Amino acid sequence: MGKIIAIANQKGGVGKTTTAFNLGSCLAADGKRVLLVDADPQANATSGLGIDPATSEVSVYECLVDEYPSKEAVIKTCVEGLEIIPSRIDLVGAEVELMNRPDRDRVLSKVLSQLKDEYDYILIDCSPSLGVITVNALTAADSVIIPVQAEYFALEGISQLLNTIRIIKSRLKPTLEIEGFLLTMYDARLRLANQIYEELKGHFGDMVFKTVIPRNIKLSESPSHGLPVILYDPDSRGAIAYCQLSRELVMKHRKKK
């Protein structure tokens, strides 16, 4: 049975989508069966893997709102072993359309329950908000990866996300765990970046991933080519870092078993 991991932080621009499709690609490259669920209306994870959201006949929207069979919404990507349920801009409307449903917080759980046995990992790329879709993602997930940007105000808003996670644990998903805090856009030359890493470690200890994701031009360029960084430039620092993160994640799960 696969592990479902939401990648969430309501703060924008912290590297959620970059982490979602690059971590998914590295896990797949290591022989894992991976499904990426693009739960962000911006659909950047979809386009970052070379899929035009405008041409996707079926997306996560149809699965959530129209109860379209999730197995039929899955499409292959440019990475062997990595598949995706794509997103489109109309996912914005799902927030409103789900609002009056009595099971509105558990719709994505039902969608993914049909798929959980097919994959080793299901990664959910969340939107930069704490709306109904993100609550669905956290309720469906077994754990959460929280990307944190190595910049001033990095920890701002984390308390709000942690509070949301606490509420979901108490009301919807008692087994939800924090997989780890991931420091992104890290520049070792900057004293501030090192201070933020130390601050994160001071607050959250072993819940902070040892792997940090560096600022890297190849990570920024690869989505415009519709490729994850391991296909765009496998020798870049960004590719090496996400492969290290993939191995750290797998090792962590092996130790828990």
Side-chain angles (χ1 to χ4, degrees), residues 88-249:
R88 284 199 311 260
I89 190 63
D90 54 6
L91 185 60
V92 171
E95 295 270 341
V96 177
E97 293 180 64
L98 293 177
M99 193 61 72
N100 294 322
R101 285 180 55 165
D103 64 341
R104 66 177 177 270
D105 298 326
R106 301 182 186 274
V107 182
L108 188 57
S109 293
K110 292 174 184 173
V111 168
L112 297 183
S113 66
Q114 305 165 37
L115 296 166
K116 202 167 181 183
D117 292 338
E118 309 279 325
Y119 299 95
D120 299 306
Y121 289 94
I122 297 176
L123 304 181
I124 309 172
D125 182 29
C126 297
S127 65
S129 75
L130 292 176
V132 173
I133 304 298
T134 299
V135 169
N136 261 270
L138 293 172
T139 304
D142 300 306
S143 63
V144 195
I145 291 175
I146 303 172
V148 180
Q149 192 176 0
E151 290 190 357
Y152 196 60
F153 295 135
L155 302 182
E156 190 182 78
I158 284 184
S159 59
Q160 190 182 351
L161 176 61
L162 294 179
N163 190 48
T164 301
I165 290 170
R166 273 193 292 272
I167 292 167
I168 287 168
K169 276 176 71 77
S170 65
R171 297 182 187 171
L172 295 166
K173 185 72 175 279
T175 56
L176 180 64
E177 296 180 339
I178 293 174
E179 190 70 50
F181 293 85
L182 175 67
L183 196 65
T184 61
M185 304 177 199
Y186 177 77
D187 187 339
R189 298 168 301 177
L190 300 179
R191 189 170 64 180
L192 177 63
N194 292 300
Q195 283 174 345
I196 288 165
Y197 183 71
E198 292 306 319
E199 203 171 332
L200 261 185
K201 288 289 285 182
H203 277 290
F204 302 111
D206 290 342
M207 292 166 75
V208 180
F209 283 105
K210 292 184 177 70
T211 304
V212 297
I213 307 301
R215 277 200 176 279
N216 180 237
I217 191 66
K218 301 298 182 183
L219 280 176
S220 304
E221 287 175 355
S222 66
S224 65
H225 295 267
L227 293 169
V229 73
I230 57 162
L231 293 184
Y232 180 65
D233 188 345
D235 297 321
S236 65
R237 289 189 307 126
I240 291 165
Y242 274 112
C243 287
Q244 285 175 343
L245 177 65
S246 166
R247 287 190 285 271
E248 184 177 350
L249 186 69

